[in-house]
Structure formats: C-alpha cells, structure tokens
Amino acid sequence: MKIKRRAALKGLMAGMAAPLVLRHAALGADPITVVGIHDASGGLDIYGKPMIACLDFAVDEANAAGGLLGRPIQLINYDPQSNIQLYTQFATQAATKDHAAVVHGGITSASREAIRPILDRYRTLYFYNTQYEGGVCDRNTFCTGSTPAQNVQKLMPYIMPKWGKKVYIVAADYNYGQITSKWITKYARDGGGSVLAVDFFPLDVTDFGPAIQKIQQAKPDIVISALVGGAHVSFYRQWAAAGMKSRIPMASTTFGGGNETLILSPEEANGIVCAYSYFQEIDTPANHAFLEKFHAKMGPNAPYLGAELAMRTYVGFNLWAEGVRKAGSIDRMKVIEALETGIVNHGPAGTTSIDPKTNHVTLDVYLAEAQNRGFKVLQSFPDQPPLDTQMVCDLQKHPNENKQYVVDVKM
C-alpha cells in the first residue's frame, strides 16, 4: 500500500485542498474511492483521530481480503481542522473531483449539516458514523451511531433511582447540545424527575467557574454533561477542583467519545456514567479478536478507542461494504436499495442492523462508568431500535423526504 502525504489546506482562498492522506491498494484494477472527512487537528481532533484510525484499519482490512467487487479501495482522508467551511469544501471536492462512491465523515451535528445537503445535491452516498441527537430523515444519509432513544433512554432510568430526580444540564451550544437537552428533559420527566436548568456553552468556552457557581446554588441531585470538544474538557477539571465531584454525581452523553478518560486524571474522571453503543472494555470474543488485530496492525500508535465514535466508523464502513457486495455495484441507488434490505454487521460492538424506514440502525447499548483511565461496563442492552426517528420518519413510504425531526419538549 502506498501512502502520499500532502499539506492540508491552510487558507480558504487557496482553492480546493489536497487530501491529508491518500491510500490505494495495488490490486490491479480501477480503485473504488472512499472519502473520509474527520478532524485530525483543531478542537475536535480528540474525536477525529481515533475515527481516522478505524477507517484506515477498515479499508486496509478490506483490501487485504481482496477489496470490493475485485477492485481495490482507495481512501482519501481530509482534515477539515474543526472548520465548518472546510467541511463544506471537502464534501464538494469528494463529490465533484474525487467522484467518491461514499463519504464517511462529520463529527458534530453542525459538520453533518454542512456535508449532508452537498452530498444530496451531487448524489453522493453519505455515512454519518457518530452518536448524535437523532431525527435526520434523508434516504441518501445513513446514520450508524446511537441516538437518544437508545442511549439517553438507558442512561436516565439508571441514574435517577440511584442519585435523585433533580437534574441540571450543561451542553454545547449548537444543535447537538440543544436537541439532546430536550431528550434528557423528556426522559427525566418520564421518570418523575425535573430539569432545574440548562446552560449552553459555545465550543471554545474554557472558563466554567460561573456555571459551577450556578450549579452549586441550584443544588441538583445530578449533573448531566452534553459538552463537546477539547475546550470543554476544562469543565471536568474545574468541577473536580471546586470539590464538586464528591458532592453531586455526574453522567454524560458525550464523555469518553474523545478519550477524555486519558486526558483527565482518574480523580477528575472516575465515576462519570455514560451510555454508548461501544466501549473498548466490552468483554466479548468478537471485541477481543478485533482489538488483537487492530493493535497488531497499528502497533504502538494504536489509539484507545474509548466510547462509540471510532468503532461506529469501523462498523459504518463495513455496513457500506456489505451493501456494495449485495448490490454487486457501487452505483448509489443500487447500494441504497441493498442497504435497505436490512444489512447486518456482527462485529466488536455487537450486532448492528440497518432500519430501512429511517436509515438509522438497531444496535446494542452499554452502560459504563469511568474508572482508572477507562470504563467499567455495568449493563448491556441488545438490539435497541432507533425509535426517535422511527416514530415520524418512514423513508419506505416517503423516499424523497429530507429533513431533521426534533422532539417536541418544552424546556
């Protein structure tokens, strides 16, 4: 396998940028181009780097097995540098210049909504492999991460009987944090609880002192974090430094996705409870086998895979690849129709199957607690359907629908 490295785009006025990494296998046939758009730098690189590693591994694994349809897979990785304008630019380049068979990309929901309309316009298949707030209804987009109906729905019934019913939410100030806060509110109320307040923070905020003072005054039973990115890691440090860890327990819908357990000390991270569709610590033969191969291939540079995002990228690629095999083609509509037959992946995260009504997935959900720079898995819930979109999105009946549904919760 040859690897060409070029400098990433340094300015938006420089025109279309070269890819950060270009890979292609020497299988002697025209390659199938796959594009990845994930942050290798900027404030979201804590999520992006493990996702890139898993996509690289998945492509290498497929090429070692003979590629797809007798053709090698060429992977082009773009680094949008946590810049939404670059996401837009690279999505356009993937569709118009690279002629990608599929794009796997996006981390934040804002980046997804920058990519999605462009790939719809150019009829380029899109996989969004990230745990997110749910609701996207678009036949061209496959969402392979868990949604609040799968993760928050398991998190709230676990923590409220254990800790109490008065909830305080801190969240990132964009559509992920705003919509997820609605879902947390819904499930808190469903369990007989209440949300005392919700505080939203832009992604570049690093000073949480005033917010912590507000939480102290409100005296909740539980704090739930839906914070995002490298800057927001400061909240957990400042929370511990203020002596709050021993006073008010914390759960999160995002903690661990960026390997925060490695960034923070055990004293700062231990005890935070999360729910995701994958933790590296899942004790199953399939996960052990995957990790053995992954570490053998990646060597000392193999990242800790933490919670969900990196693994969903690996699963998402393999779902797409199975759709290509079943279709016998990389033609977009043929692959979509094949995927909609209910393609299933049995892998390190458990069983993942595509729900043809919503282009989301039924998957296994795990509850875990941060412990000693990793997670201890507490409970598992197999075959959880994406009900938050299934209630309103039906792409079988309405294949041309293209919108995002938002849960109707007054806050």
Side-chain angles (χ1 to χ4, degrees), residues 74-97:
Q74 173 181 265
L75 172 62
I76 302 174
N77 278 320
Y78 289 109
D79 174 16
Q81 305 168 41
S82 304
N83 183 319
I84 293 299
Q85 290 174 290
L86 286 177
Y87 266 106
T88 301
Q89 182 164 330
F90 290 143
T92 303
Q93 182 160 340
T96 61
K97 182 179 178 182

Side-chain angles (χ1 to χ4, degrees), residues 178-315:
Q178 293 157 2
I179 298 172
T180 298
S181 294
K182 289 177 178 287
W183 284 103
I184 295 169
T185 301
K186 168 187 162 45
Y187 288 120
R189 291 173 182 169
D190 287 352
S194 63
V195 173
L196 302 182
V198 184
D199 285 347
F200 294 109
F201 303 92
L203 293 181
D204 59 354
V205 168
T206 58
D207 180 8
F208 292 92
I212 291 172
Q213 291 178 2
K214 286 177 62 179
I215 297 170
Q216 290 171 324
Q217 293 168 2
K219 298 180 180 178
D221 297 319
I222 307 166
V223 170
I224 300 181
S225 165
L227 297 171
V228 172
H232 284 182
V233 173
S234 300
F235 172 78
Y236 304 103
R237 290 198 173 105
Q238 292 165 28
W239 180 257
M244 296 301 295
K245 274 195 85 253
S246 61
R247 295 169 57 186
I248 303 175
M250 184 180 297
S252 178
T253 64
T254 51
F255 187 86
N259 291 342
E260 291 89 342
T261 55
L262 302 183
I263 298 168
L264 299 170
S265 69
E267 293 74 22
E268 293 165 332
N270 283 358
I272 297 174
V273 175
C274 307
Y276 291 110
S277 67
Y278 178 79
F279 292 92
Q280 182 169 302
E281 292 79 6
I282 294 170
D283 186 12
T284 63
N287 190 42
H288 293 316
F290 168 83
L291 291 173
E292 184 177 350
K293 290 189 297 180
F294 182 74
H295 287 106
K297 179 72 176 179
M298 304 296 292
N301 295 322
Y304 172 62
L305 299 183
E308 181 141 351
L309 275 69
M311 179 52 62
R312 298 323 297 181
T313 304
Y314 176 79
V315 171

